[in-house]
Amino acid sequence: MLVKYTGWGAMPNAFEPRPPRDWQSVAEELRDLLSAEEYASARASTPNAHYTSPEVVQAIWQAMERFGLQPGAQILEPSMGIGHFFGMMPEGLYPGTRRTGIELDSVSARIAAKLYPDSSIHAKAFEDTPLPKDFFDAAIGNIPFGNFPVFDPVYRRAPQLTRSIHDYFLTKTVDVVRLGGVIALITSRYTMDKQDSAVRRHLASGSILLGAVRLPNTAFQANAGTEVTTDILFLQKRSPETPPGESWMELRPVATADGPVEINEYFARHP
């Protein structure tokens, strides 16, 4: 029952100060069921609580295995929801692997802790979670996206990296993954599409673009009740041994018509 929970992203109308008529009974029920803290947390999560479909999660894990992710890794999920990525991790990666998940919404974080008690779950914002630099072997997940800023004093001298929440998540994730570590994150298409290339330039200076796949805007419809165009970015953190290579600032994702099925086809063509 717990694993069926998909968050509050599909029902922002229930948290309106004056809900539409067809949402009023649900809104009243939520106010009765949730504590004041839970209600505030749930309402704050509605812009970003769009949980990933199992087909997409599975395809991303398959890609990470192609990149050489091995058992015994330290794995980070920076915005985990209830932990679908943890739940669908391939069995071959389990031995010795340690998983760290971060989730702002208190209800989602508590469900994740019940589902995956062997993992370290932090029920707080990513910007409020201290993490060691150059530590994790891999990071994976579906990060929040939107045109609103994040305050993190660590990046106060680089405000261009925190103006959009998805760019901030990408930036901090690259920082906490070790040299040579791999990253697979679902982000807003505006990371790659926006005219200002400052964030892409920063990311390109610290990571290699292994691949970028644009999902159809229906990829989250069945599981989260929303239509949104997203990209999956596969990155590898640069190390001293990494060849310089060409910059990927101006590259764009490969658009897919059928979503996750084509992710593996893409990497089969670009090994």
Side-chain angles (χ1 to χ4, degrees):
M1 293 298 294
L2 288 176
V3 84
K4 294 179 181 179
Y5 174 78
T6 58
W8 308 102
M11 48 191 302
N13 287 335
F15 295 93
E16 293 290 336
R18 295 183 178 179
R21 181 175 300 176
D22 53 344
W23 283 94
Q24 286 178 358
S25 61
V26 174
E28 292 172 2
E29 185 177 8
L30 284 176
R31 286 191 177 276
D32 290 339
L33 291 173
L34 301 178
S35 69
E37 293 78 11
E38 290 170 342
Y39 186 89
S41 177
R43 182 174 58 186
S45 77
T46 56
N48 297 302
H50 304 303
Y51 291 0
T52 318
S53 68
E55 294 81 6
V56 174
V57 175
Q58 185 178 44
I60 292 175
W61 274 119
Q62 289 171 354
M64 295 293 269
E65 288 186 298
R66 290 181 73 99
F67 299 146
L69 187 62
Q70 298 292 320
Q74 287 276 5
I75 298 177
L76 170 69
E77 188 174 357
S79 180
M80 72 179 301
I82 65 167
H84 288 330
F85 278 89
F86 284 2
M88 296 190 69
M89 190 176 80
E91 288 186 13
L93 293 177
Y94 271 99
T97 292
R98 287 148 292 180
R99 302 181 297 189
T100 300
I102 301 165
E103 172 55 40
L104 173 63
D105 176 49
S106 63
V107 173
S108 299
R110 280 149 51 200
I111 291 175
K114 293 292 185 182
L115 292 172
Y116 310 106
D118 60 336
S119 301
S120 176
I121 310 297
H122 300 269
K124 56 174 63 178
F126 194 37
E127 61 270 25
D128 296 330
T129 308
L131 297 170
K133 291 285 187 75
D134 303 318
F135 177 75
F136 294 96
D137 299 295
I140 192 168
N142 178 3
I143 60 176
F145 34 86
N147 190 26
F148 53 90
V150 173
F151 175 73
D152 186 334
V154 173
Y155 299 96
R156 63 185 180 277
R157 295 184 180 178
Q160 72 277 11
L161 303 178
T162 61
R163 288 184 186 133
S164 295
I165 190 169
H166 44 277
D167 293 336
Y168 166 74
F169 266 72
L170 282 162
T171 298
K172 181 171 178 176
T173 300
V174 170
D175 285 346
V176 300
V177 167
R178 67 166 175 80
L179 303 182
V182 288
I183 297 167
L185 294 177
I186 301 173
T187 180
S188 163
R189 70 180 181 88
Y190 292 107
T191 293
M192 298 296 283
D193 281 359
K194 62 185 168 190
Q195 293 182 344
D196 185 352
S197 63
V199 173
R200 291 193 299 276
R201 186 165 56 250
H202 175 82
L203 294 173
S205 69
S207 63
I208 306 165
L209 181 67
L210 300 174
V213 180
R214 175 151 297 171
L215 295 175
N217 65 356
T218 55
F220 291 82
Q221 181 65 48
N223 203 52
T226 187
E227 291 189 5
V228 60
T229 301
T230 55
D231 295 336
I232 308 174
L233 299 187
F234 297 94
L235 307 173
Q236 183 177 32
K237 188 162 180 176
R238 292 187 184 275
S239 66
E241 295 76 30
T242 304
E246 57 182 293
S247 172
W248 53 266
M249 285 192 307
E250 306 306 325
L251 298 180
R252 292 295 176 268
V254 173
T256 65
D258 299 322
V261 174
E262 294 191 21
I263 296 175
N264 290 314
E265 293 178 4
Y266 170 83
F267 287 112
R269 295 193 303 269
H270 304 83

